[in-house]
Structures are given as structure tokens and as C-alpha cells.
Amino acid sequence: MSLFEKQINHYYNETGLERFNKLYSIDYVTNFEDNEGDGITYSQDVNRGTYSDDGNCIYLLSLETDNWVRVAEHICNRYGCELDVDNEELVAKEDYILVQTMLAIYAWIEFKE
């Protein structure tokens, strides 16, 4: 079993006619756990060809520090991810880049003290 395939959920635009339903998003639940013990989840935007944390990782980071943007930008720069400050989410062109960045942020949260 792959690290990225513990669970995969597909989301389609519902049109009423099944043959016109179009895939727009895929959620991946990994075998990694966040600092709350939940499986780390990320999403693929099929139309844009990008992956994001949908704000989950950044939300948990914002609970731990008032300067979450600085921390996230530092980690993003290290691993090649982008921080979408307006949407408060991580974005990457490759899933492994996103997951590595998310793991670094969760480690920062867990070991910051």
C-alpha cells in the first residue's frame, strides 16, 4: 500500500446525466498522522493541476503561533511549496512536495516547545 493511498475520495460535478459528470477534485488520506492523530489529508484540484492542504495544516499552525505566515513561508521556501495567504492554504504542483511541507509544519507544531 502506498503512503498516499490509505483512502482516496473522488468528487464530481453532478449534472443529472452521468456521462456529463466531470471530476473536479480528489482527496487523499495518507498513512501519516497529524499532531491530533488524524490521517494527513490533501486535495488535488483536477482542473488546475495542483495539490493543496485545503487550509487544514495552516489552520492548525495558526492555532500555535500568531506569526503563522512567517513560519509557513520559511518551511514552504525550504521544500518548494507555495503559500496562498489569501486562501490560507499550501499549494504545490506535485503531491510529494505538498506532503513533505505539511509534515515539516506538523513537526514544527509538535516540537516547537
PDB file of all heavy atoms in Angstrom, residues 71-105:
ATOM      1  N   VAL A  71       6.247  31.442   9.618  1.00  0.00           N
ATOM      2  CA  VAL A  71       6.639  30.037   9.783  1.00  0.00           C
ATOM      3  C   VAL A  71       6.338  29.252   8.506  1.00  0.00           C
ATOM      4  O   VAL A  71       7.188  28.524   7.993  1.00  0.00           O
ATOM      5  CB  VAL A  71       5.919  29.399  10.991  1.00  0.00           C
ATOM      6  CG1 VAL A  71       6.195  27.904  11.061  1.00  0.00           C
ATOM      7  CG2 VAL A  71       6.329  30.086  12.287  1.00  0.00           C
ATOM      8  N   ALA A  72       5.135  29.417   7.975  1.00  0.00           N
ATOM      9  CA  ALA A  72       4.734  28.691   6.764  1.00  0.00           C
ATOM     10  C   ALA A  72       5.597  29.080   5.568  1.00  0.00           C
ATOM     11  O   ALA A  72       6.020  28.207   4.794  1.00  0.00           O
ATOM     12  CB  ALA A  72       3.258  28.929   6.463  1.00  0.00           C
ATOM     13  N   GLU A  73       5.876  30.367   5.401  1.00  0.00           N
ATOM     14  CA  GLU A  73       6.713  30.798   4.285  1.00  0.00           C
ATOM     15  C   GLU A  73       8.122  30.219   4.383  1.00  0.00           C
ATOM     16  O   GLU A  73       8.697  29.797   3.385  1.00  0.00           O
ATOM     17  CB  GLU A  73       6.771  32.319   4.208  1.00  0.00           C
ATOM     18  CG  GLU A  73       5.514  32.930   3.630  1.00  0.00           C
ATOM     19  CD  GLU A  73       5.555  34.449   3.580  1.00  0.00           C
ATOM     20  OE1 GLU A  73       6.344  35.071   4.331  1.00  0.00           O
ATOM     21  OE2 GLU A  73       4.773  35.010   2.788  1.00  0.00           O
ATOM     22  N   HIS A  74       8.665  30.197   5.594  1.00  0.00           N
ATOM     23  CA  HIS A  74      10.010  29.638   5.787  1.00  0.00           C
ATOM     24  C   HIS A  74      10.043  28.160   5.383  1.00  0.00           C
ATOM     25  O   HIS A  74      10.932  27.727   4.651  1.00  0.00           O
ATOM     26  CB  HIS A  74      10.447  29.804   7.251  1.00  0.00           C
ATOM     27  CG  HIS A  74      11.766  29.193   7.540  1.00  0.00           C
ATOM     28  ND1 HIS A  74      12.958  29.772   7.168  1.00  0.00           N
ATOM     29  CD2 HIS A  74      12.092  28.028   8.154  1.00  0.00           C
ATOM     30  CE1 HIS A  74      13.957  28.996   7.536  1.00  0.00           C
ATOM     31  NE2 HIS A  74      13.460  27.927   8.144  1.00  0.00           N
ATOM     32  N   ILE A  75       9.059  27.396   5.842  1.00  0.00           N
ATOM     33  CA  ILE A  75       9.013  25.969   5.523  1.00  0.00           C
ATOM     34  C   ILE A  75       8.699  25.756   4.040  1.00  0.00           C
ATOM     35  O   ILE A  75       9.287  24.892   3.390  1.00  0.00           O
ATOM     36  CB  ILE A  75       8.014  25.239   6.444  1.00  0.00           C
ATOM     37  CG1 ILE A  75       8.530  25.298   7.900  1.00  0.00           C
ATOM     38  CG2 ILE A  75       7.808  23.795   6.002  1.00  0.00           C
ATOM     39  CD1 ILE A  75       7.560  24.797   8.933  1.00  0.00           C
ATOM     40  N   CYS A  76       7.804  26.556   3.478  1.00  0.00           N
ATOM     41  CA  CYS A  76       7.490  26.454   2.047  1.00  0.00           C
ATOM     42  C   CYS A  76       8.727  26.709   1.195  1.00  0.00           C
ATOM     43  O   CYS A  76       8.974  25.992   0.218  1.00  0.00           O
ATOM     44  CB  CYS A  76       6.391  27.442   1.666  1.00  0.00           C
ATOM     45  SG  CYS A  76       4.737  26.926   2.159  1.00  0.00           S
ATOM     46  N   ASN A  77       9.491  27.724   1.548  1.00  0.00           N
ATOM     47  CA  ASN A  77      10.717  28.026   0.798  1.00  0.00           C
ATOM     48  C   ASN A  77      11.706  26.871   0.874  1.00  0.00           C
ATOM     49  O   ASN A  77      12.410  26.586  -0.099  1.00  0.00           O
ATOM     50  CB  ASN A  77      11.365  29.305   1.317  1.00  0.00           C
ATOM     51  CG  ASN A  77      10.582  30.537   0.928  1.00  0.00           C
ATOM     52  OD1 ASN A  77       9.826  30.534  -0.034  1.00  0.00           O
ATOM     53  ND2 ASN A  77      10.738  31.596   1.698  1.00  0.00           N
ATOM     54  N   ARG A  78      11.753  26.199   1.989  1.00  0.00           N
ATOM     55  CA  ARG A  78      12.679  25.075   2.178  1.00  0.00           C
ATOM     56  C   ARG A  78      12.323  23.889   1.280  1.00  0.00           C
ATOM     57  O   ARG A  78      13.179  23.230   0.728  1.00  0.00           O
ATOM     58  CB  ARG A  78      12.675  24.660   3.654  1.00  0.00           C
ATOM     59  CG  ARG A  78      13.366  23.363   3.979  1.00  0.00           C
ATOM     60  CD  ARG A  78      14.891  23.514   3.889  1.00  0.00           C
ATOM     61  NE  ARG A  78      15.569  22.349   4.401  1.00  0.00           N
ATOM     62  CZ  ARG A  78      15.904  21.288   3.671  1.00  0.00           C
ATOM     63  NH1 ARG A  78      15.602  21.231   2.406  1.00  0.00           N
ATOM     64  NH2 ARG A  78      16.550  20.284   4.215  1.00  0.00           N
ATOM     65  N   TYR A  79      11.020  23.624   1.110  1.00  0.00           N
ATOM     66  CA  TYR A  79      10.595  22.417   0.405  1.00  0.00           C
ATOM     67  C   TYR A  79       9.988  22.674  -0.973  1.00  0.00           C
ATOM     68  O   TYR A  79       9.592  21.740  -1.655  1.00  0.00           O
ATOM     69  CB  TYR A  79       9.614  21.620   1.267  1.00  0.00           C
ATOM     70  CG  TYR A  79      10.282  21.090   2.509  1.00  0.00           C
ATOM     71  CD1 TYR A  79      10.031  21.661   3.744  1.00  0.00           C
ATOM     72  CD2 TYR A  79      11.196  20.048   2.431  1.00  0.00           C
ATOM     73  CE1 TYR A  79      10.674  21.195   4.885  1.00  0.00           C
ATOM     74  CE2 TYR A  79      11.844  19.581   3.569  1.00  0.00           C
ATOM     75  CZ  TYR A  79      11.575  20.165   4.785  1.00  0.00           C
ATOM     76  OH  TYR A  79      12.209  19.709   5.910  1.00  0.00           O
ATOM     77  N   GLY A  80       9.874  23.925  -1.400  1.00  0.00           N
ATOM     78  CA  GLY A  80       9.402  24.222  -2.748  1.00  0.00           C
ATOM     79  C   GLY A  80       7.898  24.326  -2.895  1.00  0.00           C
ATOM     80  O   GLY A  80       7.372  24.249  -4.003  1.00  0.00           O
ATOM     81  N   CYS A  81       7.210  24.503  -1.796  1.00  0.00           N
ATOM     82  CA  CYS A  81       5.754  24.657  -1.812  1.00  0.00           C
ATOM     83  C   CYS A  81       5.415  26.149  -1.882  1.00  0.00           C
ATOM     84  O   CYS A  81       6.267  27.000  -1.652  1.00  0.00           O
ATOM     85  CB  CYS A  81       5.195  24.042  -0.521  1.00  0.00           C
ATOM     86  SG  CYS A  81       3.441  23.698  -0.558  1.00  0.00           S
ATOM     87  N   GLU A  82       4.187  26.464  -2.201  1.00  0.00           N
ATOM     88  CA  GLU A  82       3.737  27.853  -2.209  1.00  0.00           C
ATOM     89  C   GLU A  82       2.707  28.053  -1.113  1.00  0.00           C
ATOM     90  O   GLU A  82       1.919  27.155  -0.819  1.00  0.00           O
ATOM     91  CB  GLU A  82       3.114  28.201  -3.559  1.00  0.00           C
ATOM     92  CG  GLU A  82       4.084  28.172  -4.715  1.00  0.00           C
ATOM     93  CD  GLU A  82       3.410  28.486  -6.042  1.00  0.00           C
ATOM     94  OE1 GLU A  82       2.401  29.216  -6.037  1.00  0.00           O
ATOM     95  OE2 GLU A  82       3.894  27.985  -7.056  1.00  0.00           O
ATOM     96  N   LEU A  83       2.708  29.245  -0.527  1.00  0.00           N
ATOM     97  CA  LEU A  83       1.716  29.605   0.473  1.00  0.00           C
ATOM     98  C   LEU A  83       0.738  30.572  -0.162  1.00  0.00           C
ATOM     99  O   LEU A  83       1.126  31.648  -0.610  1.00  0.00           O
ATOM    100  CB  LEU A  83       2.373  30.240   1.700  1.00  0.00           C
ATOM    101  CG  LEU A  83       1.426  30.773   2.762  1.00  0.00           C
ATOM    102  CD1 LEU A  83       0.587  29.645   3.353  1.00  0.00           C
ATOM    103  CD2 LEU A  83       2.208  31.500   3.850  1.00  0.00           C
ATOM    104  N   ASP A  84      -0.517  30.189  -0.251  1.00  0.00           N
ATOM    105  CA  ASP A  84      -1.585  31.067  -0.727  1.00  0.00           C
ATOM    106  C   ASP A  84      -2.154  31.756   0.510  1.00  0.00           C
ATOM    107  O   ASP A  84      -3.004  31.209   1.203  1.00  0.00           O
ATOM    108  CB  ASP A  84      -2.655  30.255  -1.453  1.00  0.00           C
ATOM    109  CG  ASP A  84      -3.767  31.112  -2.018  1.00  0.00           C
ATOM    110  OD1 ASP A  84      -3.926  32.266  -1.588  1.00  0.00           O
ATOM    111  OD2 ASP A  84      -4.493  30.615  -2.903  1.00  0.00           O
ATOM    112  N   VAL A  85      -1.639  32.942   0.808  1.00  0.00           N
ATOM    113  CA  VAL A  85      -2.018  33.655   2.034  1.00  0.00           C
ATOM    114  C   VAL A  85      -3.491  34.026   2.014  1.00  0.00           C
ATOM    115  O   VAL A  85      -4.177  33.928   3.029  1.00  0.00           O
ATOM    116  CB  VAL A  85      -1.132  34.907   2.241  1.00  0.00           C
ATOM    117  CG1 VAL A  85      -1.570  35.688   3.472  1.00  0.00           C
ATOM    118  CG2 VAL A  85       0.331  34.500   2.362  1.00  0.00           C
ATOM    119  N   ASP A  86      -4.015  34.441   0.857  1.00  0.00           N
ATOM    120  CA  ASP A  86      -5.418  34.854   0.763  1.00  0.00           C
ATOM    121  C   ASP A  86      -6.370  33.720   1.127  1.00  0.00           C
ATOM    122  O   ASP A  86      -7.368  33.936   1.815  1.00  0.00           O
ATOM    123  CB  ASP A  86      -5.743  35.363  -0.646  1.00  0.00           C
ATOM    124  CG  ASP A  86      -4.984  36.635  -0.984  1.00  0.00           C
ATOM    125  OD1 ASP A  86      -4.619  37.379  -0.047  1.00  0.00           O
ATOM    126  OD2 ASP A  86      -4.739  36.877  -2.177  1.00  0.00           O
ATOM    127  N   ASN A  87      -6.073  32.512   0.668  1.00  0.00           N
ATOM    128  CA  ASN A  87      -6.924  31.354   0.974  1.00  0.00           C
ATOM    129  C   ASN A  87      -6.429  30.562   2.180  1.00  0.00           C
ATOM    130  O   ASN A  87      -7.040  29.563   2.558  1.00  0.00           O
ATOM    131  CB  ASN A  87      -7.007  30.425  -0.243  1.00  0.00           C
ATOM    132  CG  ASN A  87      -7.763  31.051  -1.379  1.00  0.00           C
ATOM    133  OD1 ASN A  87      -8.759  31.721  -1.177  1.00  0.00           O
ATOM    134  ND2 ASN A  87      -7.278  30.846  -2.588  1.00  0.00           N
ATOM    135  N   GLU A  88      -5.306  31.010   2.746  1.00  0.00           N
ATOM    136  CA  GLU A  88      -4.697  30.358   3.909  1.00  0.00           C
ATOM    137  C   GLU A  88      -4.520  28.856   3.683  1.00  0.00           C
ATOM    138  O   GLU A  88      -4.972  28.024   4.460  1.00  0.00           O
ATOM    139  CB  GLU A  88      -5.499  30.634   5.180  1.00  0.00           C
ATOM    140  CG  GLU A  88      -5.539  32.089   5.544  1.00  0.00           C
ATOM    141  CD  GLU A  88      -6.296  32.382   6.830  1.00  0.00           C
ATOM    142  OE1 GLU A  88      -6.820  31.436   7.455  1.00  0.00           O
ATOM    143  OE2 GLU A  88      -6.347  33.554   7.213  1.00  0.00           O
ATOM    144  N   GLU A  89      -3.825  28.527   2.575  1.00  0.00           N
ATOM    145  CA  GLU A  89      -3.565  27.131   2.267  1.00  0.00           C
ATOM    146  C   GLU A  89      -2.226  26.968   1.568  1.00  0.00           C
ATOM    147  O   GLU A  89      -1.688  27.912   0.992  1.00  0.00           O
ATOM    148  CB  GLU A  89      -4.686  26.521   1.423  1.00  0.00           C
ATOM    149  CG  GLU A  89      -4.812  27.082   0.034  1.00  0.00           C
ATOM    150  CD  GLU A  89      -5.964  26.486  -0.754  1.00  0.00           C
ATOM    151  OE1 GLU A  89      -6.796  25.765  -0.190  1.00  0.00           O
ATOM    152  OE2 GLU A  89      -6.028  26.750  -1.964  1.00  0.00           O
ATOM    153  N   LEU A  90      -1.711  25.765   1.650  1.00  0.00           N
ATOM    154  CA  LEU A  90      -0.493  25.390   0.948  1.00  0.00           C
ATOM    155  C   LEU A  90      -0.863  24.877  -0.430  1.00  0.00           C
ATOM    156  O   LEU A  90      -1.868  24.176  -0.578  1.00  0.00           O
ATOM    157  CB  LEU A  90       0.232  24.279   1.709  1.00  0.00           C
ATOM    158  CG  LEU A  90       0.641  24.589   3.144  1.00  0.00           C
ATOM    159  CD1 LEU A  90       1.099  23.315   3.841  1.00  0.00           C
ATOM    160  CD2 LEU A  90       1.727  25.644   3.175  1.00  0.00           C
ATOM    161  N   VAL A  91      -0.047  25.190  -1.435  1.00  0.00           N
ATOM    162  CA  VAL A  91      -0.315  24.744  -2.802  1.00  0.00           C
ATOM    163  C   VAL A  91       1.002  24.274  -3.430  1.00  0.00           C
ATOM    164  O   VAL A  91       2.035  24.914  -3.259  1.00  0.00           O
ATOM    165  CB  VAL A  91      -0.917  25.886  -3.661  1.00  0.00           C
ATOM    166  CG1 VAL A  91      -1.174  25.425  -5.083  1.00  0.00           C
ATOM    167  CG2 VAL A  91      -2.183  26.433  -3.036  1.00  0.00           C
ATOM    168  N   ALA A  92       0.940  23.155  -4.151  1.00  0.00           N
ATOM    169  CA  ALA A  92       2.129  22.640  -4.840  1.00  0.00           C
ATOM    170  C   ALA A  92       1.714  21.975  -6.145  1.00  0.00           C
ATOM    171  O   ALA A  92       0.581  21.517  -6.291  1.00  0.00           O
ATOM    172  CB  ALA A  92       2.865  21.640  -3.954  1.00  0.00           C
ATOM    173  N   LYS A  93       2.653  21.905  -7.077  1.00  0.00           N
ATOM    174  CA  LYS A  93       2.410  21.229  -8.350  1.00  0.00           C
ATOM    175  C   LYS A  93       2.542  19.718  -8.235  1.00  0.00           C
ATOM    176  O   LYS A  93       2.014  18.991  -9.057  1.00  0.00           O
ATOM    177  CB  LYS A  93       3.389  21.738  -9.425  1.00  0.00           C
ATOM    178  CG  LYS A  93       3.119  23.151  -9.864  1.00  0.00           C
ATOM    179  CD  LYS A  93       1.915  23.208 -10.752  1.00  0.00           C
ATOM    180  CE  LYS A  93       1.718  24.602 -11.318  1.00  0.00           C
ATOM    181  NZ  LYS A  93       0.478  24.705 -12.053  1.00  0.00           N
ATOM    182  N   GLU A  94       3.262  19.243  -7.217  1.00  0.00           N
ATOM    183  CA  GLU A  94       3.470  17.804  -7.012  1.00  0.00           C
ATOM    184  C   GLU A  94       2.999  17.418  -5.619  1.00  0.00           C
ATOM    185  O   GLU A  94       3.238  18.149  -4.655  1.00  0.00           O
ATOM    186  CB  GLU A  94       4.947  17.441  -7.171  1.00  0.00           C
ATOM    187  CG  GLU A  94       5.541  17.790  -8.520  1.00  0.00           C
ATOM    188  CD  GLU A  94       5.032  16.902  -9.642  1.00  0.00           C
ATOM    189  OE1 GLU A  94       4.527  15.795  -9.369  1.00  0.00           O
ATOM    190  OE2 GLU A  94       5.163  17.317 -10.806  1.00  0.00           O
ATOM    191  N   ASP A  95       2.385  16.250  -5.500  1.00  0.00           N
ATOM    192  CA  ASP A  95       1.865  15.824  -4.200  1.00  0.00           C
ATOM    193  C   ASP A  95       2.959  15.606  -3.165  1.00  0.00           C
ATOM    194  O   ASP A  95       2.797  15.951  -1.999  1.00  0.00           O
ATOM    195  CB  ASP A  95       0.981  14.583  -4.330  1.00  0.00           C
ATOM    196  CG  ASP A  95       1.674  13.384  -4.950  1.00  0.00           C
ATOM    197  OD1 ASP A  95       2.826  13.511  -5.428  1.00  0.00           O
ATOM    198  OD2 ASP A  95       1.053  12.309  -4.959  1.00  0.00           O
ATOM    199  N   TYR A  96       4.098  15.055  -3.570  1.00  0.00           N
ATOM    200  CA  TYR A  96       5.157  14.780  -2.601  1.00  0.00           C
ATOM    201  C   TYR A  96       5.728  16.066  -1.999  1.00  0.00           C
ATOM    202  O   TYR A  96       6.131  16.088  -0.838  1.00  0.00           O
ATOM    203  CB  TYR A  96       6.267  13.913  -3.211  1.00  0.00           C
ATOM    204  CG  TYR A  96       7.108  14.607  -4.255  1.00  0.00           C
ATOM    205  CD1 TYR A  96       8.253  15.298  -3.894  1.00  0.00           C
ATOM    206  CD2 TYR A  96       6.754  14.572  -5.600  1.00  0.00           C
ATOM    207  CE1 TYR A  96       9.032  15.940  -4.845  1.00  0.00           C
ATOM    208  CE2 TYR A  96       7.511  15.206  -6.550  1.00  0.00           C
ATOM    209  CZ  TYR A  96       8.651  15.898  -6.175  1.00  0.00           C
ATOM    210  OH  TYR A  96       9.406  16.534  -7.114  1.00  0.00           O
ATOM    211  N   ILE A  97       5.762  17.143  -2.786  1.00  0.00           N
ATOM    212  CA  ILE A  97       6.231  18.442  -2.273  1.00  0.00           C
ATOM    213  C   ILE A  97       5.267  18.947  -1.208  1.00  0.00           C
ATOM    214  O   ILE A  97       5.685  19.401  -0.135  1.00  0.00           O
ATOM    215  CB  ILE A  97       6.371  19.464  -3.415  1.00  0.00           C
ATOM    216  CG1 ILE A  97       7.497  19.062  -4.352  1.00  0.00           C
ATOM    217  CG2 ILE A  97       6.598  20.872  -2.862  1.00  0.00           C
ATOM    218  CD1 ILE A  97       7.579  19.883  -5.625  1.00  0.00           C
ATOM    219  N   LEU A  98       3.993  18.837  -1.478  1.00  0.00           N
ATOM    220  CA  LEU A  98       2.987  19.281  -0.515  1.00  0.00           C
ATOM    221  C   LEU A  98       3.048  18.467   0.766  1.00  0.00           C
ATOM    222  O   LEU A  98       3.070  19.010   1.871  1.00  0.00           O
ATOM    223  CB  LEU A  98       1.588  19.196  -1.126  1.00  0.00           C
ATOM    224  CG  LEU A  98       0.458  19.584  -0.179  1.00  0.00           C
ATOM    225  CD1 LEU A  98       0.499  21.069   0.140  1.00  0.00           C
ATOM    226  CD2 LEU A  98      -0.875  19.190  -0.755  1.00  0.00           C
ATOM    227  N   VAL A  99       3.095  17.146   0.638  1.00  0.00           N
ATOM    228  CA  VAL A  99       3.111  16.280   1.819  1.00  0.00           C
ATOM    229  C   VAL A  99       4.370  16.525   2.644  1.00  0.00           C
ATOM    230  O   VAL A  99       4.306  16.610   3.873  1.00  0.00           O
ATOM    231  CB  VAL A  99       2.964  14.796   1.429  1.00  0.00           C
ATOM    232  CG1 VAL A  99       3.178  13.891   2.627  1.00  0.00           C
ATOM    233  CG2 VAL A  99       1.590  14.551   0.821  1.00  0.00           C
ATOM    234  N   GLN A 100       5.515  16.674   2.011  1.00  0.00           N
ATOM    235  CA  GLN A 100       6.746  16.934   2.748  1.00  0.00           C
ATOM    236  C   GLN A 100       6.645  18.257   3.510  1.00  0.00           C
ATOM    237  O   GLN A 100       7.059  18.341   4.670  1.00  0.00           O
ATOM    238  CB  GLN A 100       7.937  16.960   1.797  1.00  0.00           C
ATOM    239  CG  GLN A 100       9.266  17.097   2.503  1.00  0.00           C
ATOM    240  CD  GLN A 100      10.436  16.958   1.562  1.00  0.00           C
ATOM    241  OE1 GLN A 100      10.307  17.114   0.356  1.00  0.00           O
ATOM    242  NE2 GLN A 100      11.600  16.676   2.115  1.00  0.00           N
ATOM    243  N   THR A 101       6.074  19.269   2.887  1.00  0.00           N
ATOM    244  CA  THR A 101       5.888  20.564   3.549  1.00  0.00           C
ATOM    245  C   THR A 101       4.930  20.441   4.721  1.00  0.00           C
ATOM    246  O   THR A 101       5.179  20.978   5.807  1.00  0.00           O
ATOM    247  CB  THR A 101       5.365  21.608   2.539  1.00  0.00           C
ATOM    248  OG1 THR A 101       6.271  21.670   1.426  1.00  0.00           O
ATOM    249  CG2 THR A 101       5.229  22.974   3.176  1.00  0.00           C
ATOM    250  N   MET A 102       3.835  19.721   4.517  1.00  0.00           N
ATOM    251  CA  MET A 102       2.866  19.529   5.591  1.00  0.00           C
ATOM    252  C   MET A 102       3.492  18.794   6.770  1.00  0.00           C
ATOM    253  O   MET A 102       3.276  19.170   7.932  1.00  0.00           O
ATOM    254  CB  MET A 102       1.645  18.770   5.067  1.00  0.00           C
ATOM    255  CG  MET A 102       0.814  19.565   4.077  1.00  0.00           C
ATOM    256  SD  MET A 102      -0.489  18.593   3.294  1.00  0.00           S
ATOM    257  CE  MET A 102      -1.587  18.312   4.683  1.00  0.00           C
ATOM    258  N   LEU A 103       4.273  17.749   6.490  1.00  0.00           N
ATOM    259  CA  LEU A 103       4.927  17.011   7.564  1.00  0.00           C
ATOM    260  C   LEU A 103       5.880  17.906   8.353  1.00  0.00           C
ATOM    261  O   LEU A 103       5.963  17.811   9.582  1.00  0.00           O
ATOM    262  CB  LEU A 103       5.668  15.799   7.010  1.00  0.00           C
ATOM    263  CG  LEU A 103       4.787  14.673   6.470  1.00  0.00           C
ATOM    264  CD1 LEU A 103       5.644  13.612   5.787  1.00  0.00           C
ATOM    265  CD2 LEU A 103       3.953  14.067   7.580  1.00  0.00           C
ATOM    266  N   ALA A 104       6.593  18.780   7.651  1.00  0.00           N
ATOM    267  CA  ALA A 104       7.503  19.708   8.338  1.00  0.00           C
ATOM    268  C   ALA A 104       6.727  20.673   9.236  1.00  0.00           C
ATOM    269  O   ALA A 104       7.148  20.972  10.357  1.00  0.00           O
ATOM    270  CB  ALA A 104       8.339  20.480   7.315  1.00  0.00           C
ATOM    271  N   ILE A 105       5.589  21.146   8.766  1.00  0.00           N
ATOM    272  CA  ILE A 105       4.771  22.049   9.585  1.00  0.00           C
ATOM    273  C   ILE A 105       4.212  21.321  10.795  1.00  0.00           C
ATOM    274  O   ILE A 105       4.244  21.838  11.919  1.00  0.00           O
ATOM    275  CB  ILE A 105       3.661  22.698   8.741  1.00  0.00           C
ATOM    276  CG1 ILE A 105       4.284  23.721   7.767  1.00  0.00           C
ATOM    277  CG2 ILE A 105       2.600  23.359   9.633  1.00  0.00           C
ATOM    278  CD1 ILE A 105       3.324  24.322   6.775  1.00  0.00           C
TER     279      ILE A 105
END
